[in-house]
Amino acid sequence: MSFSIPRNVPSFDNPQRQYENAAWGSSGRSRFPDSGNGYANGASEKIGGMFGTKGGLPMYKDKPYNYFASRRKAWFQRKRVLAGIGLLLLGLVYWLGILSPAGDSRIDWDERRERVKSAFKLSWGAYEKYAWGHDEYHPISKDGRQMVPNGMGWIIVDALDTLMLMNLTTQINHARQWISTNLTYDQDHDVNTFETTIRMLGGLLSAHYLSTTFPDMAPIPGIQGSSGEDLYLEKASDLADRLMGAYDSESGVPYASVNLHTGKGIVSHQDGGASSTAEATSLQLEMKYLAKLTGEKNYWDKAEKVMQVVDDNAMEDGLLPIFIYADRGTFRDNNIRLGSRGDSYYEYLIKQYLQTSKQEPIYSEMWDQALAGVRKHLITYSQPSNLTVLGERPMGLQSALAPKMDHLVCFMPGTIALGATGGRTVAEAKLEASWSKQQEEEMDLAKQLMKTCWGMYLDTPTGLAPEITHFEIYDPPKMMYDGVLQLPDVLSHSADAEWRKDYVIKPADAHNLQRPETVESLFYMWRITGDEVYREWGWEIFQSFMKYTAADGDAGFTSIDDVTVIPTSKRDNMESFWLAETLKYFYLLFGPTDILPLTDIVLNTEAHPFPRFELGKLFSTGWQRRPRDKSGKVLPVAREAPGKEGGDGKADPQVKVETVQVVATPATVGDTSTLVPKADVTGDA
Ligand code: DMJ
């Protein structure tokens, strides 16, 4: 397949850019020649069928083809002229966008979606050609590398559900064949517990979900959708069983790594032996769905237990330090952020609530508390333009705010919107009696943060965001808690726009790893608000990826060193989440809204969709939060009387009560994780 990198993408500071985008979008011309395997052909076949291009079978079979010809010929000629005029008028109305309720009806989103599919096919084709079966793909050196001796299917498994959504039958067949004959997880090697869960277990489970629930997606005759289709689920169960040893710590909080052959959990070699908080608390959607599918309660209980141990620490306002010791179940240091090592803890709170059809209110409560904590302690404003910044507290909530956002934090706008409406559109959610000022404010916050994340892209010459962005802020910081500030309605594309002064990119943070978070949030914001501006931002970002991350020839796309320098210097790595997440979210953003309705599914943190389900008789949350007062502070608990022998371990209401203090361990000197980008380009949670 040939693939042409866009040659006529308007330059970053060209004032014609938006206009050209719209005009080009409406032209119907494709900059990305498509070999036509999938929805495009399917759709044209359907349209062709409707208008009889396949020979008008019913007419031909049931009636003579000249049945009306003689007596109705003149009538037809008159009607043809009228119909021609009518069509012209309709075309004009369409071109002027008169019938469109919102957005620009001249933009052909289906065509844009096809561009995404072409980019995916190019990336996948390059991987197939140069690195098939390898866990890593290096598009500059055009080779691959394994992460474990025989490979884990890192790229293949992570991409499975995108292949299905894009209806790429040939490719899915190839992938399935490899999984069936080559993939074994019985390998004597350590793997990261979290990354393996979200990418491999998550990828297999969503492949199982899509292939069995939507058998028309990239069907493999005689296999997919039939009761015999258990390959993905078998592999998932085998993998999960090998991961279970990670949970065998004293506290139940999983170890950072696990050996896939021995099943032995391995304490982190870094960070004083602590696991990342996000890593320990972003395994639950996968384990719970697997438990539901197999009826194996053990998967559920192990994952659930982690949440209890974490919450028992009763951290102030639901905001957690980013490291947790697996043996003790207590936190290390006070570093609080929603970027690397913190992010998906918050994401999985609201998603656990939605996954089990709102039958576990504990997770809604935890999400609400954490989001209120974010608003109170972490949301500040940049200056001079008052953009909303979700900052960090590297030394704890009582210490200074750091006005810095990892790109990873940009999952938040979409997740906040998802939490506010439960996945419905705002218009639908507002009809419910439960809609309140709180949801209204959350939607406002989501929109503001979305704009800040969009600005991270718009601010650079490549139109791509750096890994980390710093902000100029007021001194002392103006916090959202003290009052919401007015930010610009629109971020102007002009090269000397004032809002650009608010963004600071440090050289060490200027790389781009093809990350999905902003596109992910744009997808949620589009689905939930129906505001087409989010699709338009997404389209600009997509074009920037095409223009500035393309490797030579047919080698696909790659990470880059510095988003502030043109021409871009390439990093020689295509992340598996480029296929699993970034391109999938672009594809969904430009596609119809009834594919994977947000009210029916949850997407795991690697963009793998799982269905929502009911708890049923077998499963329950099984734990309660420690009692808190209205402000969220944990209430004093009764302790057993000192010296009382043979106590039953239960609280004695007669004895003096004391407050249980949860003390984080002393700050460790030299924790530079907030200052420097991580060397490991894949491990980032
Ligand atoms: C992905 O593996 C997941 O989205 C994870 O939650 C964060 N890091 C990458 C993408 O940036």
Side-chain angles (χ1 to χ4, degrees):
M1 185 195 82
S2 74
F3 182 88
S4 50
I5 299 308
R7 306 233 173 269
N8 59 340
V9 176
S11 72
F12 160 71
D13 50 5
N14 184 344
Q16 288 293 306
R17 182 171 181 164
Q18 273 182 317
Y19 170 75
E20 286 175 13
N21 283 347
W24 177 81
S26 68
S27 71
R29 279 180 290 120
S30 172
R31 281 187 287 184
F32 298 74
D34 192 324
S35 61
N37 179 7
Y39 286 152
N41 278 355
S44 69
E45 263 178 36
K46 267 184 208 150
I47 292 166
M50 275 169 65
F51 289 93
T53 53
K54 281 190 164 179
L57 281 176
M59 291 267 286
Y60 187 81
K61 182 163 172 263
D62 297 338
K63 302 176 185 89
Y65 66 92
N66 60 351
Y67 182 68
F68 292 108
S70 54
R71 51 198 173 96
R72 304 193 72 178
K73 195 171 173 190
W75 183 88
F76 258 129
Q77 274 166 351
R78 274 200 314 278
K79 291 283 174 193
R80 253 208 322 247
V81 175
L82 286 174
I85 294 170
L87 273 176
L88 265 175
L89 278 173
L90 262 180
L92 197 64
V93 163
Y94 174 76
W95 175 253
L96 294 173
I98 292 170
L99 292 180
S100 164
D104 186 345
S105 67
R106 292 171 295 175
I107 296 174
D108 184 346
W109 290 107
D110 287 344
E111 190 197 9
R112 291 183 174 186
R113 186 171 73 143
E114 286 305 305
R115 307 292 164 79
V116 178
K117 186 169 165 180
S118 296
F120 181 94
K121 284 162 73 177
L122 176 71
S123 309
W124 177 265
Y127 169 71
E128 267 185 328
K129 184 169 173 186
Y130 299 115
W132 182 246
H134 287 85
D135 294 323
E136 292 175 14
Y137 170 47
H138 306 298
I140 305 302
S141 45
K142 296 185 180 162
D143 62 11
R145 200 180 75 92
Q146 299 294 25
M147 289 162 39
V148 299
N150 298 315
M152 295 179 74
W154 204 249
I155 291 179
I156 297 173
V157 171
D158 218 10
L160 277 177
D161 56 10
T162 315
L163 290 166
M164 290 177 187
L165 284 165
M166 292 185 177
N167 203 23
L168 295 170
T169 309
T170 309
Q171 291 87 335
I172 196 78
N173 227 330
H174 191 198
R176 192 184 185 287
Q177 190 62 31
W178 186 88
I179 291 170
S180 167
T181 52
N182 292 72
L183 181 60
T184 172
Y185 286 115
D186 187 7
Q187 298 191 53
D188 191 6
H189 205 277
D190 305 351
V191 296
N192 178 289
T193 310
F194 160 79
E195 298 287 2
T196 307
T197 300
I198 65 164
R199 301 189 200 210
M200 299 299 96
L201 188 56
L204 289 164
L205 289 172
S206 65
H208 171 80
Y209 166 55
L210 293 185
S211 62
T212 53
T213 313
F214 307 99
D216 292 341
M217 270 184 196
I220 298 177
I223 297 180
Q224 275 183 293
S226 75
S227 53
E229 172 56 321
D230 46 16
L231 173 70
Y232 303 130
L233 188 54
E234 271 175 15
K235 290 285 177 194
S237 307
D238 174 60
L239 175 60
D241 292 343
R242 297 174 185 283
L243 295 172
M244 291 306 275
Y247 298 82
D248 286 343
S249 70
E250 225 171 289
S251 73
V253 169
Y255 291 113
S257 309
V258 60
N259 180 298
L260 284 179
H261 178 67
T262 62
K264 194 175 166 351
I266 298 152
V267 75
S268 170
H269 301 307
Q270 300 167 325
D271 312 311
S275 302
S276 293
T277 302
E279 293 193 357
T281 55
S282 310
L283 315 156
Q284 286 66 20
L285 295 178
E286 295 78 3
M287 298 291 270
K288 286 180 170 183
Y289 181 36
L290 181 61
K292 187 72 185 176
L293 284 170
T294 59
E296 293 285 341
K297 204 166 167 307
N298 195 29
Y299 299 134
W300 188 290
D301 293 344
K302 294 280 182 188
E304 192 75 69
K305 172 76 179 164
V306 182
M307 301 309 294
Q308 178 180 11
V309 174
V310 165
D311 197 57
D312 273 356
N313 281 278
M315 298 312 288
E316 185 179 347
D317 291 328
L319 300 178
L320 310 188
I322 59 172
F323 292 108
I324 186 164
Y325 292 108
D327 51 359
R328 282 166 268 171
T330 54
F331 291 105
R332 172 183 192 246
D333 298 350
N334 289 314
N335 191 346
I336 290 170
R337 66 172 179 236
L338 272 76
S340 64
R341 304 181 188 280
D343 50 5
S344 44
Y345 162 71
Y346 303 93
E347 177 187 349
Y348 270 33
L349 291 180
I350 187 62
K351 288 185 175 176
Q352 283 185 82
Y353 174 61
L354 297 175
Q355 179 183 38
T356 47
S357 308
K358 304 186 179 178
Q359 292 177 333
E360 294 183 276
I362 203 166
Y363 292 114
S364 163
E365 192 186 310
M366 289 167 76
W367 164 253
D368 282 345
Q369 188 197 11
L371 185 54
V374 166
R375 289 164 64 167
K376 179 172 169 188
H377 298 283
L378 303 181
I379 300 286
T380 188
Y381 296 96
S382 63
Q383 60 125 341
S385 292
N386 296 336
L387 291 158
T388 307
V389 175
L390 202 170
E392 304 179 355
R393 296 275 181 182
M395 304 297 284
L397 294 182
Q398 311 321 323
S399 298
L401 179 99
K404 153 182 176 276
M405 283 173 73
D406 293 351
H407 184 272
L408 292 163
V409 180
C410 290
F411 80 95
M412 269 299 268
T415 304
I416 293 172
L418 177 69
T421 70
R424 290 166 298 178
T425 63
V426 171
E428 288 163 349
K430 277 187 171 172
L431 298 176
E432 301 285 321
S434 56
W435 184 262
S436 69
K437 190 165 162 266
Q438 183 186 327
Q439 276 95 12
E440 202 76 58
E441 286 176 3
E442 287 174 4
M443 282 309 302
D444 285 345
L445 178 59
K447 288 177 195 168
Q448 292 164 18
L449 284 172
M450 191 74 259
K451 195 174 282 179
T452 305
C453 291
W454 159 235
M456 293 175 185
Y457 287 74
L458 193 55
D459 185 39
T460 71
T462 55
L464 293 171
E467 176 72 357
I468 300 172
T469 302
H470 298 255
F471 294 86
E472 298 289 353
I473 58 165
Y474 297 93
D475 185 15
K478 292 190 182 174
M479 302 300 292
M480 177 181 234
Y481 197 60
D482 299 320
V484 175
L485 300 189
Q486 187 63 40
L487 71 161
D489 272 350
V490 175
L491 299 186
S492 151
H493 279 66
S494 152
D496 52 5
E498 177 151 276
W499 63 265
R500 294 182 191 280
K501 294 180 185 155
D502 299 33
Y503 288 78
V504 179
I505 302 173
K506 300 191 176 174
D509 309 330
H511 48 293
N512 179 292
L513 304 181
Q514 312 174 291
R515 286 199 190 278
E517 291 76 18
T518 295
V519 193
E520 168 186 357
S521 277
L522 289 172
F523 159 68
Y524 282 104
M525 294 303 285
W526 154 246
R527 285 279 181 102
I528 288 169
T529 67
D531 188 341
E532 205 156 271
V533 75
Y534 299 118
R535 288 178 127 182
E536 283 158 10
W537 293 351
W539 176 240
E540 286 200 41
I541 294 172
F542 175 71
Q543 290 177 101
S544 298
F545 272 117
M546 295 299 96
K547 191 167 181 187
Y548 292 112
T549 69
D552 281 348
D554 60 358
F557 300 89
T558 187
S559 303
I560 61 171
D561 281 328
D562 191 339
V563 294
T564 66
V565 175
I566 295 174
T568 46
S569 142
K570 310 290 188 304
R571 269 215 167 167
D572 203 13
N573 193 50
M574 181 193 80
E575 293 288 347
S576 74
F577 51 68
W578 170 246
L579 302 180
E581 295 197 74
T582 312
L583 289 173
K584 182 190 285 151
Y585 282 127
F586 276 127
Y587 189 73
L588 292 171
L589 174 64
F590 303 149
T593 53
D594 57 357
I595 294 182
L596 299 180
L598 289 179
T599 46
D600 296 357
I601 57 145
V602 285
L603 288 139
N604 88 339
T605 192
E606 189 75 2
H608 296 307
F610 304 153
R612 296 188 187 185
F613 54 81
E614 306 267 319
L615 280 174
K617 289 209 177 101
L618 199 53
F619 304 108
S620 65
T621 309
W623 64 280
Q624 292 179 341
R625 301 191 80 191
R626 292 170 59 191
R628 287 158 164 87
D629 67 17
K630 274 192 181 158
S631 72
K633 283 213 169 61
V634 171
L635 291 171
V637 293
R639 279 275 171 88
E640 216 170 274
K644 185 180 167 192
E645 297 292 327
D648 61 4
K650 291 186 188 136
D652 179 348
Q654 303 302 314
V655 302
K656 188 173 159 279
V657 293
E658 64 177 71
T659 304
V660 173
Q661 287 289 336
V662 179
V663 184
T665 52
T668 304
V669 179
D671 176 2
T672 54
S673 56
T674 58
L675 306 176
V676 290
K678 290 173 45 196
D680 172 4
V681 291
T682 58
D684 46 23

